[in-house]
Amino acid sequence: MTKLQQVLYQFFGFHSFKKGQEDIIRSVLSGKDTIAMLPTGGGKSLCYQLPGYMLDGMILIVSPLLSLMEDQVQQLKARGEKRAAALNSMLGRQERQFVLEHIHRYKFLYLSPEALQSSYVLEKLKSVPISLFVIDEAHCISEWGHDFRPDYSKLGQLRKTLGHPPVLALTATATKDTLHDVMNLLELHHAERHLNSVNRPNIALKVENTADTAEKIDRVIQLVENLQGPGIVYCPTRKWAEELAEEIKNKTSSRVDYYHGGMDSGDRMLIQQQFINNQLDVICCTNAFGMGVDKSDIKYVIHFYLPQTAEAFMQEIGRAGRDGKPSVSILLRAPGDFELQEQIIQMESLADGEIANVIRVLEETEERDERKLRELFMQYGITETQSRMIIHLFMQGKTSIDLIKREITYRMELKLEKMRHVAALLHRDGCLRQSLLAYFDETYEPDKGSMPCCSHCGFDLSLYEQKEERVQIAPLDGWRSELHRIFSLKTVGEPN
């Protein structure tokens, strides 16, 4: 047994690595900058957590979502690792201060790219040796990525401020353009690249045509009632997530709830934990749900509408079958789907007067905490996405209405082009898996003798239907008591 295998078993209880993990870990341990792409469910977190037990300094992980950070920290704590924390809004002021004042005691520290904008946080981080600077969901760096986060684009400069530690950039889906942006913005010109296939052969892919939205709703209800769960239904808007959950609750025996970014953070965390603990059979959600959710036995993912990008589609269907067992992805398609998603994207646009008001506020206030600015603008009806973009552009020196509008329009057109691409891809004749993988510059030849492939290649949906009655588990209590029990939120817990 090699040293790596010993550490793998000692700290994680596994006897072998998943495909691609060991090569990535060896690159990290050699001190090289590393860009790694593993499919959803491929075990990206192990690629920095295991090196953490073999390197002397801190592992600093930049992550885009609060739920993702909390989930990773709790997984570490469940394995007995007390030296893990996340700097985010779930921490009270005293708890946050405790972490920063005792920062030298932590081995794994998670934080958002926005938190790294704080000069106080940066000064504290500069006082500790950082062995590895991990950028999770690294596609967020790129304007070509499907979830562009402006603050990610500053990480290259922040890395220099922190003493230029080695970088591990991780993503599940990225095109050549996205990877090129990641390399340039992080200045990873000599990085090792470990790019594994995005293909998940255990997930069968199905596209179904319906006459209209009403027929689509009926089909979702039928699928949820018949398919073996648990499952996820992705919806285009918050309103649809809520309404579809209500329809399923009223017309099936499934335990269902909804999840979206407009909910209270405590409610979101509770719904996520109910789903993970098999106290819900299905989640109706927007794309805010799924990233980092540690649930290996999801059997199906249904897309109620056309996804906006091929990258997002691959990530979302990848929530299923992380245990390697057969699972299925079903996309329901109806006339008008493209137009609805087009309207959602175009809603990101702002009128000249709205942009002028935002610029005026930015010029008049001395506040430069971007989170507080976003909260301020959201009170005036500016969405979080719009706020992120305008603040980012303003801080870059683009302070005129014309410049900001041009940049927002460019970003919107980029999204529309990606959506046109995925719409055309999903309408092509031939193997659906082959078309999807070609988008990521991968080749694939359908094999009739292997696992079920896609609706074009043909498979029997009854293979994925319910074989036995669902096990009913008592519901959780209110979210405050449950979250205190699950996450021990009353105290941070001083690391040893």
Side-chain angles (χ1 to χ4, degrees):
M1 184 181 287
T2 66
K3 177 65 174 174
L4 278 185
Q5 289 172 323
Q6 289 175 0
V7 175
L8 179 68
Y9 182 72
Q10 178 183 352
F11 291 99
F12 301 92
F14 300 134
H15 291 283
S16 60
F17 291 99
K18 291 184 178 181
K19 184 179 179 181
Q21 286 179 323
E22 186 170 359
D23 289 339
I24 296 166
I25 289 168
R26 289 190 182 279
S27 176
V28 167
L29 290 174
S30 69
K32 297 175 182 175
D33 290 334
T34 307
I35 297 175
M37 188 164 76
L38 281 173
T40 303
K44 294 188 293 296
S45 60
L46 185 83
C47 295
Y48 60 82
Q49 288 178 0
L50 188 149
Y53 293 107
M54 302 180 73
L55 297 170
D56 291 333
M58 174 190 285
I59 310 298
L60 183 64
I61 308 107
V62 178
S63 183
L65 291 177
L66 181 151
S67 58
L68 181 58
M69 287 187 264
E70 289 294 332
D71 192 60
Q72 295 292 338
V73 169
Q74 295 310 315
Q75 286 181 47
L76 284 164
K77 288 184 175 180
R79 289 198 296 267
E81 177 55 72
K82 297 180 180 179
R83 301 168 298 166
L87 281 175
N88 58 43
S89 58
M90 291 294 284
L91 292 184
R93 183 176 179 180
Q94 288 184 329
E95 294 167 322
R96 178 184 174 87
Q97 191 63 31
F98 178 90
V99 172
L100 290 170
E101 290 299 326
H102 299 85
I103 198 165
H104 60 284
R105 300 187 184 184
Y106 289 91
K107 168 59 75 172
F108 301 97
L109 185 64
Y110 292 78
L111 73 175
S112 67
E114 291 80 15
L116 273 174
Q117 308 309 312
S118 164
S119 57
Y120 181 67
V121 171
L122 277 176
E123 285 303 312
K124 289 294 183 181
L125 287 170
K126 285 162 66 175
S127 70
V128 298
I130 298 173
S131 295
L132 185 64
F133 187 32
V134 182
I135 301 167
D136 203 5
E137 309 299 336
H139 60 266
C140 296
I141 291 172
S142 171
E143 66 182 0
W144 298 96
H146 55 287
D147 189 24
F148 176 56
R149 291 277 289 270
D151 285 297
Y152 262 74
S153 63
K154 305 171 187 175
L155 295 178
Q157 187 59 46
L158 288 169
R159 176 200 184 190
K160 295 177 182 177
T161 303
L162 295 172
H164 218 271
V167 166
L168 171 59
L170 290 163
T171 186
T173 50
T175 61
K176 284 183 178 178
D177 287 330
T178 300
L179 290 170
H180 186 263
D181 267 7
V182 171
M183 292 178 68
N184 281 345
L185 288 168
L186 293 175
E187 299 183 17
L188 305 180
H189 304 304
H190 304 289
E192 277 200 10
R193 293 165 47 133
H194 295 274
L195 309 180
N196 294 273
S197 173
V198 300
N199 187 28
R200 294 283 302 283
N202 64 310
I203 304 174
L205 309 175
K206 187 173 179 60
V207 176
E208 291 189 16
N209 293 312
T210 58
D212 52 31
T213 302
E215 184 177 319
K216 206 188 284 190
I217 293 170
D218 290 341
R219 183 57 175 151
V220 168
I221 290 168
Q222 185 182 36
L223 288 168
V224 168
E225 184 71 0
N226 293 334
L227 290 175
Q228 182 180 355
I232 300 174
V233 181
Y234 278 105
C235 303
T237 65
R238 296 172 179 180
K239 187 171 183 287
W240 263 118
E242 294 182 15
E243 292 184 356
L244 202 53
E246 189 65 24
E247 286 281 339
I248 294 171
K249 188 179 297 182
N250 291 337
K251 296 180 180 179
T252 76
S253 60
S254 296
R255 299 164 300 174
V256 60
D257 217 323
Y258 60 85
Y259 182 109
H260 56 66
M263 297 166 62
D264 179 271
S265 60
D267 290 331
R268 292 201 308 270
M269 295 294 282
L270 177 61
I271 295 298
Q272 180 172 307
Q273 288 305 310
Q274 285 179 315
F275 188 58
I276 289 171
N277 290 310
N278 297 319
Q279 290 162 323
L280 289 172
D281 302 308
V282 60
I283 296 284
C284 293
C285 58
T286 62
N287 58 10
F289 182 79
M291 196 180 291
V293 173
D294 185 27
K295 186 169 180 63
S296 63
D297 63 344
I298 296 169
K299 298 301 182 188
Y300 66 85
V301 171
I302 298 171
H303 278 84
F304 189 64
Y305 266 84
L306 178 77
Q308 288 190 2
T309 69
E311 295 98 322
F313 185 53
M314 289 298 286
Q315 279 211 343
E316 287 161 7
I317 66 178
R319 315 292 182 215
R322 291 175 61 169
D323 55 8
K325 296 179 180 178
S327 53
V328 64
S329 157
I330 301 170
L331 168 66
L332 300 177
R333 196 164 54 189
D337 284 3
F338 183 90
E339 288 74 16
L340 175 73
Q341 289 286 36
E342 190 174 39
Q343 288 174 14
I344 292 170
I345 291 172
Q346 288 173 340
M347 285 172 64
E348 293 182 15
S349 181
L350 285 169
D352 289 0
E354 292 173 307
I355 296 173
N357 286 336
V358 171
I359 292 173
R360 178 181 54 77
V361 171
L362 286 169
E363 288 175 339
E364 291 178 356
T365 182
E366 295 182 2
E367 180 63 70
R368 284 299 177 261
D369 184 309
E370 295 190 20
R371 181 178 61 81
K372 292 179 180 177
L373 287 170
R374 286 198 303 273
E375 290 173 354
L376 174 63
F377 294 143
M378 288 169 71
Q379 293 176 13
Y380 295 100
I382 308 296
T383 69
E384 184 171 359
T385 300
Q386 291 168 334
S387 297
R388 283 185 193 279
M389 185 61 68
I390 294 179
I391 294 167
H392 171 64
L393 295 171
F394 186 88
M395 299 298 189
Q396 285 187 324
K398 296 175 181 176
T399 58
S400 74
I401 294 174
D402 287 343
L403 279 175
I404 289 177
K405 189 162 187 176
R406 191 183 308 156
E407 289 285 347
I408 291 175
T409 300
Y410 166 73
R411 176 65 185 156
M412 191 171 65
E413 286 299 324
L414 191 64
K415 285 189 172 184
L416 288 169
E417 182 58 33
K418 277 184 167 285
M419 192 178 67
R420 293 184 193 105
H421 200 137
V422 73
L425 184 154
L426 293 171
H427 274 83
R428 284 179 193 163
D429 291 331
C431 175
L432 175 58
R433 191 181 305 271
Q434 192 175 53
S435 294
L436 280 168
L437 293 178
Y439 178 85
F440 295 97
D441 301 303
E442 292 189 39
T443 57
Y444 174 79
E445 291 300 326
D447 182 357
K448 298 290 185 182
S450 65
M451 301 181 79
C453 177
C454 68
S455 44
H456 177 270
C457 297
F459 67 89
D460 185 354
L461 192 60
S462 67
L463 294 171
Y464 305 92
E465 290 181 352
Q466 198 74 240
K467 302 298 189 297
E468 56 192 29
E469 287 192 27
R470 296 185 179 96
V471 177
Q472 297 293 321
I473 301 176
L476 295 177
D477 295 330
W479 70 260
R480 291 184 187 278
S481 59
E482 285 298 332
L483 290 183
H484 282 156
R485 178 182 64 80
I486 295 167
F487 292 119
S488 300
L489 294 180
K490 291 178 180 177
T491 58
V492 172
E494 185 173 334
N496 290 332

